[in-house]
Amino acid sequence: MTDKPLALVTGAAQGIGLACAEALMEDGYDVILSDINTDGVSAAAQKLGATAIACDMGDLAQIEAMFAKIAADYGPISALVNNAGVAMPGDFLSYDVETFDKVININLRGVFVATQMAARVMVEHKIAGAIVNMSSINAQVAIPQIPAYCASKGGVMQLTKVVALALAKNNIRVNAVGPGSIDTEMMAGVNANPEAFKTAMSRTPMGRAGSAREIGDVVAFLCSKKASYITGETIYVDGGRLGLNYTC
């Protein structure tokens, strides 16, 4: 690593996480990419000239080991992007508790644990850091087939506010980004179904899916000094979807 500020991005093997890593590197950060997909994150990091660490964000021991390795080998982080997440859709009446718990463990508990560990490092080293959590428009609207995902993203929105208040005195800013329909692997099933895609776009006033890089650029902004007076907010990047009252 260099004397540049250090950022950690979880769920960074592809899609939004990888786009966040790219945008942060362009803004002058050294970046560590983390993902449960060991081969994928290694390939992504090699492509960017960054560092890769395999980690399951639903596993407390693995998160603790990742932060210990970063502290020992690379130094304190100045920015954290909690992007790792899963959807795991299913019918509500038959949705099992084990699946619900898995989604919550990765999408919400993992965010809490990583945020707490990163914040402790920032406070110890007196770093005016930035933490960005990946929420979703589904923190405010809902899709019945993804109950655990919607619950987890609502939790991320509230956790962001809580942590922003707790860390404001330490000059650590905590915000979230709430993507709408973004052209990533998670949306691949919708993209492959013309009717499903048409339905999704009918709810998006701009009439198109967003790109992963459009999310990454907002994340990089929130990690930058240009966002120095923004904390506790969720920025929705959704092509106008949340403001839409009806479809024609």
Side-chain angles (χ1 to χ4, degrees):
M1 288 294 177
T2 67
D3 58 357
K4 296 178 181 179
L6 180 62
L8 168 64
V9 181
T10 70
Q14 59 188 7
I16 289 174
L18 180 56
C20 291
E22 290 172 336
L24 287 169
M25 290 187 73
E26 290 176 12
D27 272 8
Y29 281 91
D30 279 332
V31 179
I32 296 173
L33 284 66
S34 168
D35 203 284
I36 193 173
N37 180 351
T38 302
D39 293 339
V41 75
S42 295
Q46 185 175 14
K47 175 184 175 182
L48 296 184
T51 299
I53 298 179
C55 181
D56 177 356
M57 294 303 294
D59 187 320
L60 176 61
Q62 289 193 38
I63 301 173
E64 291 174 336
M66 175 175 66
F67 274 88
K69 179 175 178 59
I70 291 170
D73 296 348
Y74 306 109
I77 64 173
S78 297
L80 168 66
V81 180
N82 283 307
N83 173 71
V86 294
M88 304 190 75
D91 177 73
F92 178 77
L93 292 177
S94 58
Y95 207 85
D96 61 85
V97 173
E98 291 78 14
T99 301
F100 190 91
D101 286 347
K102 181 174 182 177
V103 174
I104 295 296
N105 283 346
I106 296 169
N107 292 12
L108 183 55
R109 190 186 73 164
V111 171
F112 167 77
V113 172
T115 296
Q116 186 180 65
M117 291 183 177
R120 287 171 176 167
V121 170
M122 293 172 186
V123 170
E124 178 185 353
H125 292 272
K126 295 181 170 59
I127 294 171
I131 298 170
V132 180
N133 300 321
M134 201 57 63
S135 185
S136 168
I137 59 167
N138 291 297
Q140 297 209 36
V141 297
I143 298 173
Q145 291 81 12
I146 47 173
Y149 182 84
C150 292
S152 71
K153 294 306 183 178
V156 167
M157 178 182 68
Q158 284 296 92
L159 181 63
T160 297
K161 294 178 182 179
V162 169
V163 182
L165 296 175
L167 298 179
K169 65 181 180 294
N170 302 107
N171 293 316
I172 299 169
R173 296 180 301 101
V174 186
N175 292 291
V177 173
S181 296
I182 308 299
D183 187 11
T184 65
E185 291 77 5
M186 191 175 285
M187 196 180 166
V190 173
N191 290 343
N193 184 327
E195 284 302 313
F197 184 78
K198 181 180 179 181
T199 298
M201 292 305 98
S202 75
R203 300 194 300 263
T204 304
M206 290 186 71
R208 66 172 178 86
S211 71
R213 184 53 192 257
E214 286 175 310
I215 304 300
D217 285 341
V218 176
V219 169
F221 163 72
L222 290 172
C223 289
S224 76
K225 293 181 180 179
K226 293 179 180 179
S228 58
Y229 201 51
I230 302 175
T231 196
E233 300 293 337
T234 298
I235 309 298
Y236 291 99
V237 187
D238 65 355
R241 180 172 171 181
L242 282 181
L244 184 64
N245 186 41
Y246 64 92
T247 59
C248 297

